[in-house]
Amino acid sequence: MRGGRDVAAVTDATFRLHRGECLALVGESGCGKSVLASALLGLLPGNAVTRGRALLGDLDLLTADERTLARTVRGRRIGLVPQSPAAHLTPVRTVRAQLEETVRELTGVRGSGLRAAAEAAAERAAFPADHLDRYPHQLSGGLAQRATTALALVGDAPLLLADEPTTGLDRDLVDRTADELRRHVDAGHALLMITHDLAAAERIADRVAVMYAGRIVELVDAAGFFGTPGPRHPYARGLLDALPERAFTPVPGMPVELTDLPPGCAFAARCARATAACAQRPAVTDGVACHHPHRDESESPRA
């Protein structure tokens, strides 16, 4: 709820995520990606209402109580790389102390092996050993990001939620972080990566889900999304065309406000392919929610 009005932050989000698979969730800021991750972890505000099911094995995350989420899910069955890393680090404890505590709680390592295990976790996330004894306020944004990534990887959780895991990193570190996340996936874990970085998504994703105005408008194999035939939804194609190495053409207009969604297609006002049919909400057909999806890579937009 915002300003006394109900806001449908996420609707019709339907997907399966398997072990050994990375699903990249992409879209502009404010489209609902982080809200979806918060819902899965039970971290939504108290006035939020959830409907539907989110099954992790036989556990429905949307109906699980806080005790279950805190004791058996967060960190153990679901690891989180948060969007705002500094807010998730304890300000009065060093990175080393936080890593050692997490290793001890999630893996049971004690004694002399604890220090080595914490340093190994830091190395996985490319966190420099000579910064382990620093406090969070002494870290740059990129270092804080790497510290939270190290913490998230400690427990080898079956599912990892990575919310903008490459923010604040230079290109080399983006690639190294993406490769480490891919190794986590290849070890048999599932990864939901929320990202604006389409290059990182292309590097490690198996499938791509495109979200617009709180709805997944396209769900497709990564190879087809980044290669041939390319995205079919006009918004998804616009995201790719905005990349410097492609057309470098931004998606026209501004994202629709979630408090003022139209009854039909939420993207219609920004879409060159829109027709009168778009006044009706499009159903999802073959993984795409669009009345006029692209059919092949060479097809030109409708007039």
Side-chain angles (χ1 to χ4, degrees):
M1 180 174 290
R2 181 187 299 170
R5 299 177 62 186
D6 290 335
V7 178
V10 178
T11 56
D12 297 338
T14 302
F15 59 88
R16 292 179 180 270
L17 182 55
H18 303 282
R19 290 180 180 271
E21 180 184 36
C22 170
L23 174 65
L25 183 61
V26 304
E28 292 166 303
S29 296
C31 69
K33 303 186 303 296
S34 294
V35 172
L36 176 60
S38 295
L40 297 178
L41 286 165
L43 298 176
L44 291 174
N47 64 344
V49 176
T50 58
R51 299 185 180 91
R53 296 191 303 166
L55 297 178
L56 181 64
D58 58 358
L59 176 66
D60 188 345
L61 297 171
L62 300 186
T63 59
D65 58 77
E66 174 59 24
R67 180 185 177 91
T68 298
L69 292 170
R71 293 198 172 191
T72 68
V73 175
R74 298 183 194 128
R76 291 173 171 80
R77 298 182 68 183
I78 302 179
L80 172 67
V81 180
Q83 185 178 29
S84 302
H88 284 74
L89 294 170
T90 304
V92 296
R93 304 189 67 196
T94 66
V95 175
R96 184 189 300 279
Q98 294 181 60
L99 275 171
E100 288 183 352
E101 178 185 30
T102 303
V103 169
R104 183 170 53 247
E105 288 297 317
L106 297 184
T107 70
V109 173
R110 299 285 192 276
S112 60
L114 192 58
R115 182 182 182 92
E119 292 178 353
E123 173 64 21
R124 287 182 68 186
F127 188 90
D130 59 358
H131 286 55
L132 280 169
D133 294 311
R134 295 188 180 186
Y135 292 89
H137 74 272
Q138 296 175 306
L139 304 177
S140 66
L143 283 172
Q145 184 71 61
R146 282 181 270 170
T148 55
T149 300
L151 289 165
L153 291 171
V154 164
D156 280 329
L159 171 61
L160 183 64
L161 301 182
D163 194 351
E164 301 292 354
T166 59
T167 298
L169 305 181
D170 62 38
R171 197 71 245 169
D172 287 343
L173 284 172
V174 166
D175 291 345
R176 180 167 175 176
T177 298
D179 290 346
E180 183 56 48
L181 293 175
R182 185 67 231 185
R183 280 190 285 272
H184 188 74
V185 172
D186 291 340
H189 305 88
L191 169 63
L192 176 61
M193 183 172 74
I194 296 167
T195 186
H196 289 96
D197 189 340
L198 293 180
E202 183 176 10
R203 192 175 181 91
I204 68 170
D206 297 293
R207 289 186 296 151
V208 177
V210 182
M211 182 171 276
Y212 185 76
R215 189 184 191 196
I216 293 177
V217 296
E218 183 163 5
L219 182 60
V220 63
D221 287 344
F225 183 86
F226 292 106
T228 301
R232 296 181 59 206
H233 195 283
Y235 173 66
R237 189 161 291 206
L239 291 179
L240 279 186
D241 286 344
L243 295 175
E245 61 270 25
R246 300 210 180 199
F248 204 25
T249 303
V251 181
M254 296 295 292
V256 66
E257 290 288 338
L258 294 178
T259 54
D260 192 28
L261 292 175
C265 174
F267 187 62
R270 306 173 70 186
C271 183
R273 303 172 69 85
T275 67
C278 302
Q280 301 296 320
R281 184 182 176 94
V284 177
T285 304
D286 296 329
V288 185
C290 182
H291 291 293
H292 308 299
H294 290 270
R295 297 299 178 185
D296 60 60
E297 193 175 40
S298 61
E299 181 187 359
S300 59
R302 298 187 179 192

mmCIF file with all atom_site columns, all heavy atoms in Angstrom, residues 1 21 24 65 81-82 88 104 110 143 149 153-154 175 218 237 241 257 262 290:
data_model
loop_
_atom_site.group_PDB
_atom_site.id
_atom_site.type_symbol
_atom_site.label_atom_id
_atom_site.label_alt_id
_atom_site.label_comp_id
_atom_site.label_asym_id
_atom_site.label_entity_id
_atom_site.label_seq_id
_atom_site.pdbx_PDB_ins_code
_atom_site.Cartn_x
_atom_site.Cartn_y
_atom_site.Cartn_z
_atom_site.occupancy
_atom_site.B_iso_or_equiv
_atom_site.pdbx_formal_charge
_atom_site.auth_seq_id
_atom_site.auth_comp_id
_atom_site.auth_asym_id
_atom_site.auth_atom_id
_atom_site.pdbx_PDB_model_num
ATOM 1   N N   . MET A 1 1   ? 0.849  -1.185  0.000   1.00 0.00 ? 1   MET A N   1
ATOM 2   C CA  . MET A 1 1   ? 0.000  0.000   0.000   1.00 0.00 ? 1   MET A CA  1
ATOM 3   C C   . MET A 1 1   ? 0.884  1.233   0.000   1.00 0.00 ? 1   MET A C   1
ATOM 4   O O   . MET A 1 1   ? 1.879  1.305   0.711   1.00 0.00 ? 1   MET A O   1
ATOM 5   C CB  . MET A 1 1   ? -0.930 -0.014  1.220   1.00 0.00 ? 1   MET A CB  1
ATOM 6   C CG  . MET A 1 1   ? -1.856 1.207   1.303   1.00 0.00 ? 1   MET A CG  1
ATOM 7   S SD  . MET A 1 1   ? -3.053 1.061   2.639   1.00 0.00 ? 1   MET A SD  1
ATOM 8   C CE  . MET A 1 1   ? -4.107 -0.222  2.017   1.00 0.00 ? 1   MET A CE  1
ATOM 9   N N   . GLU A 1 21  ? 20.543 -24.378 -12.375 1.00 0.00 ? 21  GLU A N   1
ATOM 10  C CA  . GLU A 1 21  ? 20.033 -23.429 -13.357 1.00 0.00 ? 21  GLU A CA  1
ATOM 11  C C   . GLU A 1 21  ? 20.109 -22.016 -12.816 1.00 0.00 ? 21  GLU A C   1
ATOM 12  O O   . GLU A 1 21  ? 19.845 -21.760 -11.643 1.00 0.00 ? 21  GLU A O   1
ATOM 13  C CB  . GLU A 1 21  ? 18.581 -23.756 -13.717 1.00 0.00 ? 21  GLU A CB  1
ATOM 14  C CG  . GLU A 1 21  ? 17.983 -22.814 -14.745 1.00 0.00 ? 21  GLU A CG  1
ATOM 15  C CD  . GLU A 1 21  ? 16.522 -23.100 -15.021 1.00 0.00 ? 21  GLU A CD  1
ATOM 16  O OE1 . GLU A 1 21  ? 15.792 -23.475 -14.082 1.00 0.00 ? 21  GLU A OE1 1
ATOM 17  O OE2 . GLU A 1 21  ? 16.107 -22.936 -16.188 1.00 0.00 ? 21  GLU A OE2 1
ATOM 18  N N   . ALA A 1 24  ? 17.920 -15.253 -14.909 1.00 0.00 ? 24  ALA A N   1
ATOM 19  C CA  . ALA A 1 24  ? 18.175 -13.823 -14.759 1.00 0.00 ? 24  ALA A CA  1
ATOM 20  C C   . ALA A 1 24  ? 16.855 -13.075 -14.878 1.00 0.00 ? 24  ALA A C   1
ATOM 21  O O   . ALA A 1 24  ? 16.131 -13.235 -15.873 1.00 0.00 ? 24  ALA A O   1
ATOM 22  C CB  . ALA A 1 24  ? 19.158 -13.333 -15.813 1.00 0.00 ? 24  ALA A CB  1
ATOM 23  N N   . ASP A 1 65  ? 5.825  -19.237 8.529   1.00 0.00 ? 65  ASP A N   1
ATOM 24  C CA  . ASP A 1 65  ? 5.906  -18.264 9.618   1.00 0.00 ? 65  ASP A CA  1
ATOM 25  C C   . ASP A 1 65  ? 7.336  -17.754 9.771   1.00 0.00 ? 65  ASP A C   1
ATOM 26  O O   . ASP A 1 65  ? 8.291  -18.342 9.264   1.00 0.00 ? 65  ASP A O   1
ATOM 27  C CB  . ASP A 1 65  ? 5.411  -18.880 10.931  1.00 0.00 ? 65  ASP A CB  1
ATOM 28  C CG  . ASP A 1 65  ? 6.200  -20.115 11.325  1.00 0.00 ? 65  ASP A CG  1
ATOM 29  O OD1 . ASP A 1 65  ? 7.333  -19.963 11.825  1.00 0.00 ? 65  ASP A OD1 1
ATOM 30  O OD2 . ASP A 1 65  ? 5.697  -21.240 11.097  1.00 0.00 ? 65  ASP A OD2 1
ATOM 31  N N   . VAL A 1 81  ? 22.240 -12.307 -1.734  1.00 0.00 ? 81  VAL A N   1
ATOM 32  C CA  . VAL A 1 81  ? 23.150 -11.194 -1.997  1.00 0.00 ? 81  VAL A CA  1
ATOM 33  C C   . VAL A 1 81  ? 22.253 -9.966  -2.114  1.00 0.00 ? 81  VAL A C   1
ATOM 34  O O   . VAL A 1 81  ? 21.522 -9.827  -3.097  1.00 0.00 ? 81  VAL A O   1
ATOM 35  C CB  . VAL A 1 81  ? 23.951 -11.393 -3.293  1.00 0.00 ? 81  VAL A CB  1
ATOM 36  C CG1 . VAL A 1 81  ? 24.893 -10.211 -3.518  1.00 0.00 ? 81  VAL A CG1 1
ATOM 37  C CG2 . VAL A 1 81  ? 24.733 -12.691 -3.257  1.00 0.00 ? 81  VAL A CG2 1
ATOM 38  N N   . PRO A 1 82  ? 22.250 -9.072  -1.122  1.00 0.00 ? 82  PRO A N   1
ATOM 39  C CA  . PRO A 1 82  ? 21.261 -7.997  -1.075  1.00 0.00 ? 82  PRO A CA  1
ATOM 40  C C   . PRO A 1 82  ? 21.578 -6.857  -2.031  1.00 0.00 ? 82  PRO A C   1
ATOM 41  O O   . PRO A 1 82  ? 22.729 -6.643  -2.427  1.00 0.00 ? 82  PRO A O   1
ATOM 42  C CB  . PRO A 1 82  ? 21.332 -7.524  0.372   1.00 0.00 ? 82  PRO A CB  1
ATOM 43  C CG  . PRO A 1 82  ? 22.753 -7.785  0.764   1.00 0.00 ? 82  PRO A CG  1
ATOM 44  C CD  . PRO A 1 82  ? 23.126 -9.067  0.054   1.00 0.00 ? 82  PRO A CD  1
ATOM 45  N N   . HIS A 1 88  ? 23.154 -4.505  5.151   1.00 0.00 ? 88  HIS A N   1
ATOM 46  C CA  . HIS A 1 88  ? 23.082 -5.876  5.630   1.00 0.00 ? 88  HIS A CA  1
ATOM 47  C C   . HIS A 1 88  ? 24.341 -6.312  6.377   1.00 0.00 ? 88  HIS A C   1
ATOM 48  O O   . HIS A 1 88  ? 24.415 -7.443  6.847   1.00 0.00 ? 88  HIS A O   1
ATOM 49  C CB  . HIS A 1 88  ? 22.825 -6.827  4.456   1.00 0.00 ? 88  HIS A CB  1
ATOM 50  C CG  . HIS A 1 88  ? 21.408 -6.806  3.976   1.00 0.00 ? 88  HIS A CG  1
ATOM 51  N ND1 . HIS A 1 88  ? 20.900 -5.758  3.244   1.00 0.00 ? 88  HIS A ND1 1
ATOM 52  C CD2 . HIS A 1 88  ? 20.388 -7.697  4.121   1.00 0.00 ? 88  HIS A CD2 1
ATOM 53  C CE1 . HIS A 1 88  ? 19.630 -6.009  2.949   1.00 0.00 ? 88  HIS A CE1 1
ATOM 54  N NE2 . HIS A 1 88  ? 19.302 -7.166  3.461   1.00 0.00 ? 88  HIS A NE2 1
ATOM 55  N N   . ARG A 1 104 ? 30.543 -20.526 11.150  1.00 0.00 ? 104 ARG A N   1
ATOM 56  C CA  . ARG A 1 104 ? 30.283 -21.347 12.331  1.00 0.00 ? 104 ARG A CA  1
ATOM 57  C C   . ARG A 1 104 ? 28.815 -21.768 12.400  1.00 0.00 ? 104 ARG A C   1
ATOM 58  O O   . ARG A 1 104 ? 28.492 -22.931 12.669  1.00 0.00 ? 104 ARG A O   1
ATOM 59  C CB  . ARG A 1 104 ? 30.669 -20.563 13.595  1.00 0.00 ? 104 ARG A CB  1
ATOM 60  C CG  . ARG A 1 104 ? 30.506 -21.355 14.893  1.00 0.00 ? 104 ARG A CG  1
ATOM 61  C CD  . ARG A 1 104 ? 31.139 -20.615 16.074  1.00 0.00 ? 104 ARG A CD  1
ATOM 62  N NE  . ARG A 1 104 ? 30.653 -19.255 16.186  1.00 0.00 ? 104 ARG A NE  1
ATOM 63  C CZ  . ARG A 1 104 ? 31.394 -18.162 15.980  1.00 0.00 ? 104 ARG A CZ  1
ATOM 64  N NH1 . ARG A 1 104 ? 32.668 -18.281 15.615  1.00 0.00 ? 104 ARG A NH1 1
ATOM 65  N NH2 . ARG A 1 104 ? 30.878 -16.958 16.091  1.00 0.00 ? 104 ARG A NH2 1
ATOM 66  N N   . ARG A 1 110 ? 34.551 -25.167 13.592  1.00 0.00 ? 110 ARG A N   1
ATOM 67  C CA  . ARG A 1 110 ? 34.957 -24.546 14.851  1.00 0.00 ? 110 ARG A CA  1
ATOM 68  C C   . ARG A 1 110 ? 36.483 -24.520 14.935  1.00 0.00 ? 110 ARG A C   1
ATOM 69  O O   . ARG A 1 110 ? 37.182 -25.120 14.115  1.00 0.00 ? 110 ARG A O   1
ATOM 70  C CB  . ARG A 1 110 ? 34.416 -25.342 16.058  1.00 0.00 ? 110 ARG A CB  1
ATOM 71  C CG  . ARG A 1 110 ? 32.898 -25.445 16.159  1.00 0.00 ? 110 ARG A CG  1
ATOM 72  C CD  . ARG A 1 110 ? 32.293 -24.126 16.645  1.00 0.00 ? 110 ARG A CD  1
ATOM 73  N NE  . ARG A 1 110 ? 30.903 -24.274 17.003  1.00 0.00 ? 110 ARG A NE  1
ATOM 74  C CZ  . ARG A 1 110 ? 29.890 -24.225 16.156  1.00 0.00 ? 110 ARG A CZ  1
ATOM 75  N NH1 . ARG A 1 110 ? 30.136 -24.084 14.850  1.00 0.00 ? 110 ARG A NH1 1
ATOM 76  N NH2 . ARG A 1 110 ? 28.636 -24.347 16.570  1.00 0.00 ? 110 ARG A NH2 1
ATOM 77  N N   . LEU A 1 143 ? 33.492 -3.119  -2.399  1.00 0.00 ? 143 LEU A N   1
ATOM 78  C CA  . LEU A 1 143 ? 33.989 -4.055  -1.389  1.00 0.00 ? 143 LEU A CA  1
ATOM 79  C C   . LEU A 1 143 ? 32.848 -4.562  -0.507  1.00 0.00 ? 143 LEU A C   1
ATOM 80  O O   . LEU A 1 143 ? 32.814 -5.737  -0.141  1.00 0.00 ? 143 LEU A O   1
ATOM 81  C CB  . LEU A 1 143 ? 35.069 -3.391  -0.534  1.00 0.00 ? 143 LEU A CB  1
ATOM 82  C CG  . LEU A 1 143 ? 36.448 -3.267  -1.182  1.00 0.00 ? 143 LEU A CG  1
ATOM 83  C CD1 . LEU A 1 143 ? 37.367 -2.421  -0.308  1.00 0.00 ? 143 LEU A CD1 1
ATOM 84  C CD2 . LEU A 1 143 ? 37.065 -4.641  -1.428  1.00 0.00 ? 143 LEU A CD2 1
ATOM 85  N N   . THR A 1 149 ? 28.427 -10.894 -0.837  1.00 0.00 ? 149 THR A N   1
ATOM 86  C CA  . THR A 1 149 ? 28.450 -12.068 -1.710  1.00 0.00 ? 149 THR A CA  1
ATOM 87  C C   . THR A 1 149 ? 29.155 -13.229 -1.021  1.00 0.00 ? 149 THR A C   1
ATOM 88  O O   . THR A 1 149 ? 28.692 -14.376 -1.067  1.00 0.00 ? 149 THR A O   1
ATOM 89  C CB  . THR A 1 149 ? 29.149 -11.742 -3.042  1.00 0.00 ? 149 THR A CB  1
ATOM 90  O OG1 . THR A 1 149 ? 28.437 -10.690 -3.706  1.00 0.00 ? 149 THR A OG1 1
ATOM 91  C CG2 . THR A 1 149 ? 29.199 -12.967 -3.952  1.00 0.00 ? 149 THR A CG2 1
ATOM 92  N N   . LEU A 1 153 ? 27.448 -16.962 0.021   1.00 0.00 ? 153 LEU A N   1
ATOM 93  C CA  . LEU A 1 153 ? 27.922 -18.225 -0.531  1.00 0.00 ? 153 LEU A CA  1
ATOM 94  C C   . LEU A 1 153 ? 28.348 -19.234 0.538   1.00 0.00 ? 153 LEU A C   1
ATOM 95  O O   . LEU A 1 153 ? 28.528 -20.420 0.234   1.00 0.00 ? 153 LEU A O   1
ATOM 96  C CB  . LEU A 1 153 ? 29.106 -17.967 -1.473  1.00 0.00 ? 153 LEU A CB  1
ATOM 97  C CG  . LEU A 1 153 ? 28.782 -17.244 -2.784  1.00 0.00 ? 153 LEU A CG  1
ATOM 98  C CD1 . LEU A 1 153 ? 30.071 -16.864 -3.516  1.00 0.00 ? 153 LEU A CD1 1
ATOM 99  C CD2 . LEU A 1 153 ? 27.907 -18.096 -3.678  1.00 0.00 ? 153 LEU A CD2 1
ATOM 100 N N   . VAL A 1 154 ? 28.499 -18.775 1.781   1.00 0.00 ? 154 VAL A N   1
ATOM 101 C CA  . VAL A 1 154 ? 29.058 -19.626 2.837   1.00 0.00 ? 154 VAL A CA  1
ATOM 102 C C   . VAL A 1 154 ? 28.287 -20.924 3.014   1.00 0.00 ? 154 VAL A C   1
ATOM 103 O O   . VAL A 1 154 ? 28.863 -22.012 3.102   1.00 0.00 ? 154 VAL A O   1
ATOM 104 C CB  . VAL A 1 154 ? 29.126 -18.854 4.170   1.00 0.00 ? 154 VAL A CB  1
ATOM 105 C CG1 . VAL A 1 154 ? 29.324 -19.819 5.339   1.00 0.00 ? 154 VAL A CG1 1
ATOM 106 C CG2 . VAL A 1 154 ? 30.269 -17.847 4.147   1.00 0.00 ? 154 VAL A CG2 1
ATOM 107 N N   . ASP A 1 175 ? 32.990 -9.844  -14.094 1.00 0.00 ? 175 ASP A N   1
ATOM 108 C CA  . ASP A 1 175 ? 33.182 -11.144 -14.732 1.00 0.00 ? 175 ASP A CA  1
ATOM 109 C C   . ASP A 1 175 ? 33.577 -12.200 -13.702 1.00 0.00 ? 175 ASP A C   1
ATOM 110 O O   . ASP A 1 175 ? 33.089 -13.342 -13.751 1.00 0.00 ? 175 ASP A O   1
ATOM 111 C CB  . ASP A 1 175 ? 34.249 -11.053 -15.818 1.00 0.00 ? 175 ASP A CB  1
ATOM 112 C CG  . ASP A 1 175 ? 33.794 -10.229 -17.013 1.00 0.00 ? 175 ASP A CG  1
ATOM 113 O OD1 . ASP A 1 175 ? 32.575 -9.970  -17.119 1.00 0.00 ? 175 ASP A OD1 1
ATOM 114 O OD2 . ASP A 1 175 ? 34.657 -9.851  -17.829 1.00 0.00 ? 175 ASP A OD2 1
ATOM 115 N N   . GLU A 1 218 ? 8.095  -11.731 -20.572 1.00 0.00 ? 218 GLU A N   1
ATOM 116 C CA  . GLU A 1 218 ? 8.724  -12.723 -21.445 1.00 0.00 ? 218 GLU A CA  1
ATOM 117 C C   . GLU A 1 218 ? 9.625  -13.614 -20.614 1.00 0.00 ? 218 GLU A C   1
ATOM 118 O O   . GLU A 1 218 ? 10.337 -13.140 -19.728 1.00 0.00 ? 218 GLU A O   1
ATOM 119 C CB  . GLU A 1 218 ? 9.536  -12.064 -22.565 1.00 0.00 ? 218 GLU A CB  1
ATOM 120 C CG  . GLU A 1 218 ? 10.135 -13.081 -23.541 1.00 0.00 ? 218 GLU A CG  1
ATOM 121 C CD  . GLU A 1 218 ? 10.595 -12.487 -24.857 1.00 0.00 ? 218 GLU A CD  1
ATOM 122 O OE1 . GLU A 1 218 ? 10.551 -11.247 -25.014 1.00 0.00 ? 218 GLU A OE1 1
ATOM 123 O OE2 . GLU A 1 218 ? 10.998 -13.266 -25.752 1.00 0.00 ? 218 GLU A OE2 1
ATOM 124 N N   . ARG A 1 237 ? 13.091 -6.472  -26.300 1.00 0.00 ? 237 ARG A N   1
ATOM 125 C CA  . ARG A 1 237 ? 13.986 -6.115  -27.404 1.00 0.00 ? 237 ARG A CA  1
ATOM 126 C C   . ARG A 1 237 ? 14.549 -4.712  -27.203 1.00 0.00 ? 237 ARG A C   1
ATOM 127 O O   . ARG A 1 237 ? 15.709 -4.439  -27.524 1.00 0.00 ? 237 ARG A O   1
ATOM 128 C CB  . ARG A 1 237 ? 13.231 -6.222  -28.729 1.00 0.00 ? 237 ARG A CB  1
ATOM 129 C CG  . ARG A 1 237 ? 14.134 -6.071  -29.940 1.00 0.00 ? 237 ARG A CG  1
ATOM 130 C CD  . ARG A 1 237 ? 13.498 -6.633  -31.199 1.00 0.00 ? 237 ARG A CD  1
ATOM 131 N NE  . ARG A 1 237 ? 13.377 -8.089  -31.157 1.00 0.00 ? 237 ARG A NE  1
ATOM 132 C CZ  . ARG A 1 237 ? 13.341 -8.860  -32.237 1.00 0.00 ? 237 ARG A CZ  1
ATOM 133 N NH1 . ARG A 1 237 ? 13.440 -8.319  -33.440 1.00 0.00 ? 237 ARG A NH1 1
ATOM 134 N NH2 . ARG A 1 237 ? 13.211 -10.165 -32.125 1.00 0.00 ? 237 ARG A NH2 1
ATOM 135 N N   . ASP A 1 241 ? 18.420 -3.333  -27.233 1.00 0.00 ? 241 ASP A N   1
ATOM 136 C CA  . ASP A 1 241 ? 18.800 -2.280  -28.171 1.00 0.00 ? 241 ASP A CA  1
ATOM 137 C C   . ASP A 1 241 ? 19.410 -1.072  -27.459 1.00 0.00 ? 241 ASP A C   1
ATOM 138 O O   . ASP A 1 241 ? 20.102 -0.271  -28.094 1.00 0.00 ? 241 ASP A O   1
ATOM 139 C CB  . ASP A 1 241 ? 17.583 -1.826  -28.987 1.00 0.00 ? 241 ASP A CB  1
ATOM 140 C CG  . ASP A 1 241 ? 17.180 -2.831  -30.042 1.00 0.00 ? 241 ASP A CG  1
ATOM 141 O OD1 . ASP A 1 241 ? 17.993 -3.724  -30.346 1.00 0.00 ? 241 ASP A OD1 1
ATOM 142 O OD2 . ASP A 1 241 ? 16.046 -2.734  -30.559 1.00 0.00 ? 241 ASP A OD2 1
ATOM 143 N N   . GLU A 1 257 ? 3.682  4.154   -13.767 1.00 0.00 ? 257 GLU A N   1
ATOM 144 C CA  . GLU A 1 257 ? 3.603  4.077   -12.309 1.00 0.00 ? 257 GLU A CA  1
ATOM 145 C C   . GLU A 1 257 ? 2.743  2.883   -11.900 1.00 0.00 ? 257 GLU A C   1
ATOM 146 O O   . GLU A 1 257 ? 1.670  2.654   -12.468 1.00 0.00 ? 257 GLU A O   1
ATOM 147 C CB  . GLU A 1 257 ? 2.998  5.358   -11.743 1.00 0.00 ? 257 GLU A CB  1
ATOM 148 C CG  . GLU A 1 257 ? 3.885  6.583   -11.857 1.00 0.00 ? 257 GLU A CG  1
ATOM 149 C CD  . GLU A 1 257 ? 5.067  6.517   -10.902 1.00 0.00 ? 257 GLU A CD  1
ATOM 150 O OE1 . GLU A 1 257 ? 4.976  5.779   -9.904  1.00 0.00 ? 257 GLU A OE1 1
ATOM 151 O OE2 . GLU A 1 257 ? 6.067  7.212   -11.163 1.00 0.00 ? 257 GLU A OE2 1
ATOM 152 N N   . PRO A 1 262 ? -2.607 0.949   -16.526 1.00 0.00 ? 262 PRO A N   1
ATOM 153 C CA  . PRO A 1 262 ? -3.755 0.934   -17.433 1.00 0.00 ? 262 PRO A CA  1
ATOM 154 C C   . PRO A 1 262 ? -4.433 -0.430  -17.415 1.00 0.00 ? 262 PRO A C   1
ATOM 155 O O   . PRO A 1 262 ? -3.833 -1.429  -17.007 1.00 0.00 ? 262 PRO A O   1
ATOM 156 C CB  . PRO A 1 262 ? -3.109 1.208   -18.792 1.00 0.00 ? 262 PRO A CB  1
ATOM 157 C CG  . PRO A 1 262 ? -1.725 0.654   -18.668 1.00 0.00 ? 262 PRO A CG  1
ATOM 158 C CD  . PRO A 1 262 ? -1.314 0.918   -17.245 1.00 0.00 ? 262 PRO A CD  1
ATOM 159 N N   . CYS A 1 290 ? 2.130  -10.446 -25.004 1.00 0.00 ? 290 CYS A N   1
ATOM 160 C CA  . CYS A 1 290 ? 2.094  -9.350  -25.983 1.00 0.00 ? 290 CYS A CA  1
ATOM 161 C C   . CYS A 1 290 ? 1.115  -9.703  -27.099 1.00 0.00 ? 290 CYS A C   1
ATOM 162 O O   . CYS A 1 290 ? 1.072  -10.847 -27.552 1.00 0.00 ? 290 CYS A O   1
ATOM 163 C CB  . CYS A 1 290 ? 3.497  -9.123  -26.563 1.00 0.00 ? 290 CYS A CB  1
ATOM 164 S SG  . CYS A 1 290 ? 3.600  -7.745  -27.748 1.00 0.00 ? 290 CYS A SG  1
#
